[in-house]
Amino acid sequence: MTKRPGILFAVGATVAGLVTAAPSPATADAGARRAAAQLDWTDCGTASYPRLQCSSVSTPLDHDDPSGRQITLALSRIPHTAKTFQGPLLVNPGGPGGSGLSMAGFVASSLPKAVAAQYDVIGFDPRGVGKSEPALDCVPKYFDPLRPDSTPNSPEVEQANRNRAASFAKACGEKYPDLLPHMDTVSAAKDLDVIRQATGSQQLNYFGYSYGTYLGAVYAKLYPERVRRLVLDSNVDPEGVWYEDNIGQNYAFDARHKAFAAWVARHDTTYGLGSDPAKVEGAWYAMREAVRAHPAGGRVGASELEDTFLPGGYYNGYWPYLADAFAAYAHDHDQEALVEAYKRFGAVDSKGDNGYSVYSAVQCRDTPWPRQWNTWRNDSWKVHEKAPFFTWNNTWYNAPCADWPVEPLNPVQVSNRNLPPVLLFQATEDAATPYEGGITLHRRLHGSSLVVEQGGGNHGITLSGNDCLDTYLADYLAKGTVPRGEGGRADADAVCAKSPDPQPLTGRAAAKAAGGTGTGSRGGILHGLLGFRG
């Protein structure tokens, strides 16, 4: 990863209407420092993050049996340098299944220097993820092309997808019978407290994106007295975990796909696909049908095409690259353009296999899912009629939960009246965690403050180049201040204008020079860390 540019605003910036309601600074006495020294930190710096350090900590596989089998969590850290020490700031990119080791360097380098210097910014791979041991990989190369068409327009296609999902669930159960009962959000939240103890801190600061918001809210429910500062960006709706939340995603991603089509239409002079968004969207579905019948390069069929364009629903910085590939295929039948776009945005490597295994293990265990396939089928067809872009693709992504070999838990009721001020961020047009989830969590976390990016459609919005959002974040981490009742919205405490939409590339050479992913931008680096589906 390339190093992200610093945020362009003053460290001590104040915002009208901020209310100070912070807990006292985290204890950093000699005893805490001695305890923290129990972690063996070694240098593991990179070109992007030269000060990065690495360590590991043991945690019980089963927290109800703390003296039983232990597993290992991989940790990373950018240590504090300021005289004022506010304790550990654990950062999480979401998932479940996302690796957080690079997040420490990213967050520490993206916050104002004077703020970051006051924290030990700590990233970690949750249980089962990445460099933590053991790491899950139920079915290597599960997403390799070509997969069956996601839309089951025949009984044969439906059965092929159904068998594939069921076999994944069976493989996980056979490969990890001892681990799967302990792959859940509550266990992961208890792991956070093990990390807190290992740092020697009495309280925890936490900053989570996406699924990381749910993990943070669950931690706060279990240990409210141990929460010092809590930042949650792009919030999971705790009332919908996980089946209903995925249905909500289907509608929201379809809306973002329409927003992409409208953006392409506004730039018709560049892409030549028409100035009518409906016409552009129709051209995309025509492309989907073409690759369904004749996969591009023998690798990109209908399902792979959906995987390729799905990231555009998470981050509009990818739109120019996706639009270039779309136009090249539509005008010139350029199959190579689609294959290259698939490699950059849709293909899944071994890290992705690991991430999906953990995603499935946690979500299928966290809460009950329908066990009758007719429920999935009927709901999916109903939603597909209005939101065809993502519905069936998302159904098959989650379908292993219909046959998961471990009994589910009951979801955590995260409502909480015992926390210090909590700071929430939410974009109104977020597809992965729709806006209503932010409102719900705001209501459930009594005394929290919600900052809204009005009209924003990206998933993960702080430290992504929006100075208004980042000012609120920096002030909270520096001084504990939160906004109250600004911006004129009854459902939020502050409102920021959305970040500008991207502009088309100047040519295909520009796409190749940038690696085709836009990762050199502020948002691009963040979204490369957050990944997709999380």
Side-chain angles (χ1 to χ4, degrees):
M1 295 292 178
T2 55
K3 188 170 184 178
R4 177 181 164 165
I7 294 172
L8 303 178
F9 58 84
V11 171
T14 58
V15 180
L18 288 179
V19 177
T20 301
S24 59
T27 301
D29 57 19
R33 292 180 186 276
R34 283 195 299 270
Q38 295 175 7
L39 286 173
D40 182 18
W41 292 102
T42 59
D43 291 337
C44 59
T46 66
S48 298
Y49 311 123
R51 296 180 55 237
L52 196 68
Q53 299 174 342
C54 292
S55 187
S56 63
V57 65
S58 294
T59 187
L61 173 63
D62 181 355
H63 284 279
D64 291 333
D65 182 18
S67 62
R69 179 181 173 185
Q70 303 291 299
I71 59 176
T72 301
L73 305 177
L75 309 177
S76 63
R77 179 180 75 164
I78 300 291
H80 75 283
T81 56
K83 183 176 180 180
T84 300
F85 177 44
Q86 301 208 48
L89 173 62
L90 268 66
V91 293
N92 179 270
S99 170
L101 294 182
S102 294
M103 285 296 294
F106 170 77
V107 171
S109 62
S110 301
L111 288 169
K113 290 181 180 180
V115 176
Q118 298 177 33
Y119 289 92
D120 283 349
V121 184
I122 297 177
F124 61 98
D125 278 353
R127 57 174 53 203
V129 175
K131 292 186 177 180
S132 292
E133 296 178 351
L136 275 63
D137 189 350
C138 297
V139 181
K141 301 184 179 181
Y142 180 70
F143 288 98
D144 277 9
L146 286 159
R147 308 201 310 275
D149 184 359
S150 64
T151 305
N153 287 315
S154 72
E156 293 77 16
V157 172
E158 178 176 353
Q159 193 61 51
N161 279 298
R162 183 80 179 89
N163 291 345
R164 185 170 172 275
S167 67
F168 183 89
K170 181 180 179 182
C172 286
E174 292 176 347
K175 197 169 184 179
Y176 303 111
D178 53 339
L179 297 181
L180 293 190
H182 308 292
M183 293 297 299
D184 58 89
T185 299
V186 169
S187 294
K190 291 179 178 180
D191 290 341
L192 296 184
D193 207 54
V194 170
I195 298 172
R196 177 197 62 79
Q197 293 177 61
T199 67
S201 179
Q202 295 180 3
Q203 290 184 304
L204 192 66
N205 305 289
Y206 178 87
F207 180 8
Y209 290 91
S210 191
Y211 164 78
T213 66
Y214 185 63
L215 177 61
V218 170
Y219 179 85
K221 182 67 174 182
L222 297 177
Y223 310 107
E225 74 285 356
R226 297 174 191 171
V227 174
R228 181 173 177 271
R229 290 188 183 148
L230 186 63
V231 181
L232 306 177
D233 182 331
S234 304
N235 296 278
V236 167
D237 187 339
E239 294 181 356
V241 293
W242 292 109
Y243 185 75
E244 293 298 329
D245 279 353
N246 275 279
I247 289 177
Q249 281 186 336
N250 297 338
Y251 291 107
F253 272 108
D254 198 82
R256 288 306 290 164
H257 191 56
K258 286 179 166 58
F260 166 67
W263 180 85
V264 173
R266 288 198 299 275
H267 297 286
D268 182 45
T269 55
T270 299
Y271 300 114
L273 292 167
S275 58
D276 179 358
K279 181 179 178 181
V280 173
E281 190 177 17
W284 190 91
Y285 283 103
M287 176 174 64
R288 184 193 187 282
E289 175 58 25
V291 299
R292 183 200 64 79
H294 302 287
R299 299 189 63 188
V300 181
S303 294
E304 290 76 23
L305 186 76
E306 291 165 347
D307 292 350
T308 302
F309 281 78
L310 176 63
Y314 286 85
Y315 175 53
N316 63 8
Y318 299 139
W319 286 359
Y321 306 93
L322 295 171
D324 268 5
F326 177 14
Y329 186 86
H331 294 306
D332 304 322
H333 197 63
D334 187 342
Q335 298 187 48
E336 181 184 354
L338 284 189
V339 171
E340 286 302 311
Y342 166 72
K343 289 178 181 178
R344 292 164 178 164
F345 297 107
V348 175
D349 58 13
S350 60
K351 291 182 180 179
D353 288 337
N354 167 240
Y356 178 66
S357 295
V358 175
Y359 170 95
S360 300
V362 172
Q363 292 215 349
C364 298
R365 174 65 166 154
D366 263 357
T367 185
W369 291 70
R371 289 287 182 167
Q372 297 299 317
W373 182 247
N374 280 343
T375 301
W376 294 70
R377 176 193 291 116
N378 293 339
D379 286 346
S380 296
W381 278 121
K382 179 181 178 181
V383 177
H384 176 85
E385 290 180 4
K386 295 182 178 180
F389 169 63
F390 184 54
T391 295
W392 274 107
N393 189 300
N394 200 25
T395 295
W396 299 122
Y397 196 81
N398 291 281
C401 293
D403 298 285
W404 203 246
V406 180
E407 287 299 310
L409 303 170
N410 291 317
V412 177
Q413 300 300 312
V414 301
S415 297
N416 208 320
R417 302 180 66 89
N418 301 310
L419 296 174
V422 174
L423 187 58
L424 312 178
F425 292 91
Q426 191 73 39
T428 58
E429 311 306 315
D430 183 359
T433 51
Y435 182 71
E436 292 75 16
I439 298 299
T440 299
L441 193 60
H442 181 32
R443 184 177 67 247
R444 284 194 169 211
L445 300 183
H446 182 78
S448 63
S449 290
L450 176 62
V451 179
V452 168
E453 185 184 23
Q454 182 65 44
N458 290 338
H459 177 66
I461 55 176
T462 57
L463 303 183
S464 192
N466 187 315
D467 289 356
C468 175
L469 298 169
D470 290 347
T471 298
Y472 286 110
L473 173 64
D475 277 358
Y476 178 68
L477 291 177
K479 299 174 291 185
T481 51
V482 295
R484 299 292 188 194
E486 301 173 20
R489 286 187 69 118
D491 55 0
D493 293 286
V495 178
C496 293
K498 74 168 188 174
S499 298
D501 284 341
Q503 292 298 311
L505 303 169
T506 57
R508 199 173 301 173
K512 291 182 178 179
T517 59
T519 53
S521 67
R522 290 186 170 197
I525 296 172
L526 172 63
H527 288 85
L529 294 172
L530 300 186
F532 314 126
R533 303 274 191 175

